[in-house]
Every structure is written in C-alpha cells, then in structure tokens.
Amino acid sequence: MTLDAIDRQIINRLQDDLPRISRPFAPLADELGISEEALLERIKTLRENGVLTRFGPFFDAAAMGGAFCLCAMEVPAEKFEATVTKVNAHDEVAHNYEREHQLNMWFVLACETPEGIAQTAEAIEAETGMKVHQFPKLQEFYIGFRVAA
Amino acid sequence: MSIDDTDRAIIEATQAGLPLVPAPYAALAEQLGLDEATVMTRFEAMKDSGVIRRIAAAPNHYKLGMTANGMSVWDVEDEHLTALGTKIGALPYVTHCYERPRALPAWPYNLFAMIHGSSSDEVEEKRAEITAILGDALRAKDILYSTRILKKTGLRLRKRG
C-alpha cells in the first residue's frame, strides 16, 4: 500500500498520547483539515493493512506490580515453526522476533506478578526442551517509541 | 500501584485496542456499565501512576520502509556503563537502550540499543558512531537483525475466574 502525506502525519501524531477528552480524535482531525469520520476510516485502514499493529493504551506491567523480561532461545531451524507456535501460545509473550544469531528467537514476557516471569520461562522450557535465557533490564537509559513515517 | 476491578475491566476491554469511534471513552463506558467521566478519570489516574504509558499507535517498522532493524549489543566495562549508556540512549536513532545482565561465557554483552534504518548500510553507519563513542571502554560488540515479527500484541492480562 502507499501512504499519502495525511497518512504519514496521522502515523506520526498518533504516536503521541491521545487525550482523555470526550472527542479525542477531533483536535487531530481539525489539524489535518479532515472530518473525524475520515480520520477514523484512515486509522482503520492503517490497522487493517498492518501499518499500525495496534492502537490503544500501552500498559506497563511493572507499574501494575508485575514485570517484563526480555528472553532468548537458540532454536534449531527444523524446530523453529513448531517452537514459534508453542511460545506464542502463552499470553505472557507480548512480542516475539526472529533474529539472525545463534540465539535466534527473542521475545518479551509481560507478567502481572514478578514470579510470572520465571513460571512462564519454566513452562516454555518444559514444553520445548530448550533453555530460555532471561535478560531482565537492570537500567533503562531511554525508551523512545517514535518512528518517523 | 495496585489496580482494582474497574481498572482491570478497562484494561481487559482495551488491551487489544481502543474502539475506533468518535467518542471511544463513552463507547467503553457503555460496554462496561460505567459512565464516560469515570472511564476518562480512571485512564487519567492510570496514566499518572505509570500503569499506562500512553494511548497511542504502534507502527510496524517494516511497513514504513524501515527494513533494517538491529538490536545492537555491546560489552562495556562496568565502571563506565552508566555514563556511556546515557550517551547512547540520547542518540536520536536509538529507540530503546537498556543495561541487561551478561550470560557468560556465550553472551558477554551488557548494553542493548535498538537501531532502526531503511537499509543495513544506514544501521551500520550508526553502529560505527556508537563504536566511536564507547571508545576504549568497549570490549566486544554484535548486532542481531530481526528477520521476522513472530508476534506483536502487547500486554495481555490473564483471564480471572
């Protein structure tokens, strides 16, 4: 799909926090000179085409008393697809990427309790017979979330 | 902070996304048997306490032409890590930057920095800049390019009951 200038502005501006007001899309629609309905239609299309993977609140598991943890596995090529299915079946797996390295599967666990990380990692190890390496964050230097469209 | 049942109901109703309608908070209120003001107040309180970082879009880097997405990893001498990590985190092209534990002997790296670009040449150029900044405190480095998004859903609460 091709993105026009308005789509690109929408993608950039929707990475800002949406206000808690009754008509939160109205200010952006005004800024872009389009109707609220037209803006919402464009956002739906961007979602359907996968340009936006999600639109909604970003939750911080740690602030709710839970935890996040980056994990990695070394998965043999012939077992990769079956392992993806097993790992992704856990609701605690928030995202998962294939990467070029001996450690070729990298995913983030988001759990409601700190113990949930170890429990989920152990469950995945039991199901796959493979080691789950855990890389919890020790210090956060920056989290930018912006991507310029 | 702890979340109560009302917060939890709001989180469960929006973890897949916010309703794409002109008045999304009113739509949620109707769905949950609350009023619009309560939903907005709860969202505001969760934003203030950090439970919600923001209400926003998550773009797919690949679809925006950012096809080179590298997790750069660095083994930096511990005594210089905080000062250097702060510098690397401030670079405009680094989107996430963390200290994480090493897993020796196979994994000597303690600094992770995500770099996104439209080509691997562009990412390698940025990586060379980071190498220069880390200077003598750098002992080893690598970069892991993502080849596929296998899942990207964000947090999901467990169903209760």
Side-chain angles (χ1 to χ4, degrees), chain A residues 69-110:
Chain A
C69 186
L70 178 67
C71 297
M73 291 171 75
E74 179 180 345
V75 184
E78 70 277 10
K79 291 188 178 165
F80 200 86
E81 297 309 319
T83 307
V84 170
T85 305
K86 287 178 186 167
V87 170
N88 284 0
H90 290 266
D91 280 346
E92 292 85 355
V93 176
H95 36 89
N96 188 359
Y97 289 86
E98 179 182 27
R99 297 191 180 277
E100 288 176 321
H101 190 272
Q102 196 172 343
L103 292 171
N104 52 355
M105 187 183 291
W106 289 77
F107 52 91
V108 169
L109 295 179

Side-chain angles (χ1 to χ4, degrees), chain A:
Chain A
M1 74 170 285
T2 50
L3 300 174
D4 67 16
I6 291 180
D7 289 325
R8 288 181 185 280
Q9 275 178 282
I10 290 172
I11 295 163
N12 288 334
R13 293 280 284 100
L14 284 185
Q15 293 177 70
D16 295 327
D17 189 31
L18 190 79
R20 266 67 60 189
I21 55 175
S22 192
R23 306 291 285 264
F25 297 101
L28 178 56
D30 283 350
E31 187 186 314
L32 298 172
I34 60 177
S35 68
E36 252 177 314
E37 290 69 26
L39 171 59
L40 288 161
E41 276 314 306
R42 279 176 183 261
I43 298 172
K44 282 179 198 162
T45 304
L46 293 169
R47 279 282 292 110
E48 280 158 17
N49 293 334
V51 174
L52 300 179
T53 56
R54 203 172 161 275
F55 179 75
F58 283 67
F59 300 103
D60 183 340
M64 283 183 225
F68 283 112
C69 186
L70 178 67
C71 297
M73 291 171 75
E74 179 180 345
V75 184
E78 70 277 10
K79 291 188 178 165
F80 200 86
E81 297 309 319
T83 307
V84 170
T85 305
K86 287 178 186 167
V87 170
N88 284 0
H90 290 266
D91 280 346
E92 292 85 355
V93 176
H95 36 89
N96 188 359
Y97 289 86
E98 179 182 27
R99 297 191 180 277
E100 288 176 321
H101 190 272
Q102 196 172 343
L103 292 171
N104 52 355
M105 187 183 291
W106 289 77
F107 52 91
V108 169
L109 295 179
C111 296
E112 287 181 62
T113 61
E115 306 76 48
I117 301 290
Q119 286 162 3
T120 309
E122 280 163 24
I124 292 172
E125 287 182 337
E127 289 160 17
T128 62
M130 294 170 215
K131 167 98 181 139
V132 174
H133 298 272
Q134 294 177 39
F135 299 99
K137 75 173 175 192
L138 302 179
Q139 268 194 87
E140 182 174 297
F141 297 115
Y142 181 70
I143 306 195
F145 45 84
R146 299 203 139 272
V147 188

Side-chain angles (χ1 to χ4, degrees), chain B residues 9-73:
Chain B
I10 292 172
I11 294 170
E12 284 180 358
T14 56
Q15 56 194 359
L18 199 71
L20 290 173
V21 296
Y25 305 116
L28 278 170
E30 195 182 342
Q31 187 189 329
L32 298 172
L34 300 168
D35 58 60
E36 186 187 29
T38 304
V39 171
M40 290 197 292
T41 308
R42 292 291 181 137
F43 266 120
E44 203 61 45
M46 287 194 274
K47 177 88 199 315
D48 289 344
S49 69
V51 166
I52 291 176
R53 289 203 166 204
R54 65 195 177 280
I55 300 175
N60 179 332
H61 291 87
Y62 291 94
K63 300 248 178 172
L64 294 177
M66 304 240 180
T67 50
N69 300 296
M71 183 175 75
S72 71
V73 292

